[in-house]
Every structure is written in structure tokens, then in C-alpha cells.
Amino acid sequence: MNHLQSKSCAIIIFLLCALVFPLTSLAHGVDDATRSFLENNTGIHFGPFLYIGAKHMVTGYDHLLFLFGVMFFLYKSKDILLYVTMFTIGHSTTLLLGVLSHVAINAYLIDAIIGLSVVYKAFDNLGGFETVFHWRPNPKTAVLVFGLFHGLGLATKLQEFQLDPNGLLANLIAFNIGVELGQFLALMFIVLFLNYLRRLPLFS
């Protein structure tokens, strides 16, 4: 790669970061209408919670950035399915158990850990662990562990709204299904985008 190409790459990466970092601050934002619904909800409302879960994932830029990093070097469908399943198991477990067991951690700490997961995966993709430590953590285990933290982040956010215990389990299941549907939709676009990137000289 010549100097001009390197400079162009640096500019593109800087612009992407400039666009992404402001968005990450909104990654767990809740609009007024959703906030009002969650605070005043009583009983089972499967459809609305399904929609809120899907919306939260599609607009959850930190979750999507982590998944983008996880999938960056995955070429086979079975590998993509395996890693996404590990992530799903992680965040579904802590999402459900966190809310039902009233386990919440400081939201700022959780957001920092979720942000760290993005940095961790970027460092891993660049071969940082092998270069610096001559050792690489198991990538599947790492995805599962960070999935647990991502789910705990969702659980912590939901508990801010003091959800009505009547119908809570059904509403949580609906929310979780919505999260998975939103994740599936986002993954389709990520796969298409990565397939496009891999055909460009820039990718190498």
C-alpha cells in the first residue's frame, strides 16, 4: 500500500469514527413515547414489547459495532451462526435473569464494558493479542462473555422503568424475541456490507 492509499485509509477511518462515536452516546437512548409506555404499562403487551426490543437492537450502535467486529473475518455461514448464537445465549441469559432477579449494575460501568467489548474485538481482529502477548483468548468464549455483559446492559436499562410485575415474564420474552429479530435484520445488512467491502482493494 503506497503513501496515498495509506493516507486515504486513515481519512476514511477517521470520518467513520467521527460519525460513529456521537451515535454511540445515543445507543441506549429511549424516546419519550417509549419511556411513557414502559413507565405506565400494566399487564401483558406482547406486540409493543416485541417492537421495542427490535427497535432497541437496530438502534443499539454499540451492540452492532461489536457484532460487526465479530463477523469481520467470518466467511462461512456456519461460523457466523455459531458466533451469533454464542452472543445470543449470553445476552438472552442475563437479560432475562437480570430483570427477573433484580440484578442491576451501575449503568455507566456497564456502558463502559460494552464499549470495551468493541475495542477488544478491534484489537483482536488486528492481531494485537498475538503480537503483544503471544497468546489469544478463545474468541468464542470472549463473544459469550461479552454477550453476558451486553444482556446485563439491556437488563439494567429496563429496570430503570420499574416494570409492572403482572405479565413481566411474557413481556420480557416478547422484548427478547424483538431483540433477536432486530439483531437478525441488522446482521443481514452487516453481511451484505462486509461482502461488498471484501471485494474492494481497501479491505486488505
Side-chain angles (χ1 to χ4, degrees), residues 43-115:
I44 298 173
H45 292 278
F46 203 88
F49 273 89
L50 187 80
Y51 170 76
I52 292 169
K55 180 182 176 182
H56 189 86
M57 177 55 80
V58 171
T59 59
Y61 303 102
D62 45 5
H63 299 292
L64 298 182
L65 280 170
F66 179 69
L67 288 174
F68 182 81
V70 169
M71 297 176 63
F72 200 78
F73 289 124
L74 298 180
Y75 295 90
K76 297 179 181 178
S77 298
K78 65 176 184 179
D79 291 332
I80 293 173
L81 181 61
L82 174 61
Y83 278 85
V84 170
T85 300
M86 298 293 285
F87 182 72
T88 298
I89 290 172
H91 77 68
S92 295
T93 300
T94 47
L95 168 59
L96 291 171
L97 292 180
V99 176
L100 294 175
S101 303
H102 305 289
V103 176
I105 297 178
N106 184 285
Y108 295 105
L109 177 61
I110 285 293
D111 281 346
I113 293 172
I114 291 174

Side-chain angles (χ1 to χ4, degrees), residues 6-44:
S6 298
K7 191 173 182 180
S8 298
C9 286
I11 291 171
I12 290 171
I13 291 170
F14 173 78
L15 290 175
L16 285 173
C17 289
L19 287 170
V20 166
F21 286 138
L23 293 175
T24 57
S25 65
L26 302 174
H28 289 293
V30 177
D31 60 75
D32 292 338
T34 301
R35 180 178 294 277
S36 176
F37 171 79
L38 291 173
E39 289 175 343
N40 298 293
N41 172 73
T42 56
I44 298 173

Side-chain angles (χ1 to χ4, degrees), residues 90-91 94 105 110 113-114 144-154:
H91 77 68
T94 47
I105 297 178
I110 285 293
I113 293 172
I114 291 174
L144 176 63
V145 170
F146 280 121
L148 292 170
F149 281 108
H150 279 246
L152 195 54
L154 290 170

